[in-house]
Amino acid sequence: LGLVGSEMCIRDSDYAIAFNNRGNAYRENGQYDRAIRDYDEAIRLKPDYPSAFYNRGFAIFNSARFENAIPEFKRVVQKWPKHRFAAIWLYLAQGRAGRNGRADLERNVKKLDLNTWPGPVVSMFLGRTKPEQVLARARNEDAKKQREQLTEAYFYVGQYHLLRGLRNKAKELFRSSLKLGVKSFTEYKSAQAELARMK
């Protein structure tokens, strides 16, 4: 009875978190279809779950289905407007799908402080900051924070060049992102996915 009773106390939201976490593990190993299935199940169990939409967006983006990633990130921007990176990823999905996402980016970051990281990345995509300035702003006196921010900066500057058709420059920057070894970051995994497609 005790076992049955404890099982009955597990809520759908608990299972949703478990599916989301397993999806993350699959995504980190490049198993995007399996990850997406787990995120689907997490969202079925907990329809108002921004993290699952966000993570599903990454998995779809990394499998080069950019058009399909747009609604995922758009949902996060709507439900989680203060998330610092969601607007950037929506912009990237739109750009890689051949759309101009600048107006959406401008609107979605109105309430964000662009003077703090990753504000310089947003400013770069809006044409207000140069790529080299983004890399300079990523540097920090805290060595760990600098490594993390540079991992992100190299990836996003790589995307900036890729959107302009400069594949070799983008490839060089994605490699720089990987060299820092911050394997837990989405940008690290996405840089791996980009380089795999560029072979």
Side-chain angles (χ1 to χ4, degrees):
L1 277 175
L3 179 60
V4 172
S6 65
E7 285 178 345
M8 291 178 68
C9 289
I10 299 175
R11 299 165 298 178
D12 281 352
S13 60
D14 295 323
Y15 282 117
I17 292 168
F19 275 110
N20 179 66
N21 291 343
R22 190 173 73 173
N24 289 342
Y26 283 135
R27 180 165 58 87
E28 285 187 11
N29 289 322
Q31 297 175 277
Y32 300 121
D33 288 338
R34 294 184 76 172
I36 290 166
R37 286 198 294 272
D38 274 355
Y39 297 137
D40 288 346
E41 187 62 16
I43 290 165
R44 186 188 71 78
L45 292 166
K46 190 178 178 184
D48 189 12
Y49 190 5
S51 291
F53 283 104
Y54 197 37
N55 292 327
R56 188 166 69 177
F58 292 138
I60 295 170
F61 186 99
N62 285 352
S63 31
R65 289 174 274 178
F66 305 115
E67 188 70 37
N68 293 339
I70 292 172
E72 308 296 326
F73 295 126
K74 190 171 285 187
R75 182 77 61 97
V76 178
V77 168
Q78 291 168 348
K79 290 186 173 291
W80 210 357
K82 291 186 179 180
H83 196 288
R84 296 176 305 151
F85 287 89
I88 294 173
W89 280 92
L90 174 58
Y91 172 82
L92 290 179
Q94 290 170 322
R96 299 296 298 279
R99 298 195 200 181
N100 186 342
R102 179 168 176 158
D104 281 343
L105 181 61
E106 192 115 37
R107 181 173 58 253
N108 292 333
V109 300
K110 276 185 179 177
K111 295 182 180 179
L112 297 180
D113 179 6
L114 298 187
N115 292 315
T116 60
W117 192 260
V121 174
V122 174
S123 295
M124 175 184 68
F125 288 130
L126 290 175
R128 301 172 188 167
T129 301
K130 295 184 182 298
E132 52 270 25
Q133 292 175 303
V134 174
L135 295 173
R137 291 285 301 278
R139 300 191 179 279
N140 192 281
E141 58 186 22
D142 181 299
K144 180 177 180 290
K145 191 169 186 179
Q146 175 171 288
R147 210 167 66 250
E148 292 172 347
Q149 290 185 170
L150 279 173
T151 296
E152 295 167 338
Y154 282 128
F155 172 76
Y156 292 121
V157 174
Q159 289 290 332
Y160 174 91
H161 289 298
L162 195 56
L163 287 169
R164 285 155 180 75
L166 302 173
R167 287 174 56 85
N168 288 337
K169 185 66 175 173
K171 193 182 295 187
E172 176 187 327
L173 287 153
F174 294 145
R175 285 175 179 152
S176 294
S177 183
L178 296 183
K179 283 178 184 176
L180 293 163
V182 187
K183 296 182 180 180
S184 62
F185 271 38
T186 295
E187 290 81 6
Y188 180 97
K189 300 298 178 184
S190 295
Q192 280 185 321
E194 295 289 4
L195 288 169
R197 283 196 294 274
M198 288 176 160
K199 285 183 179 177

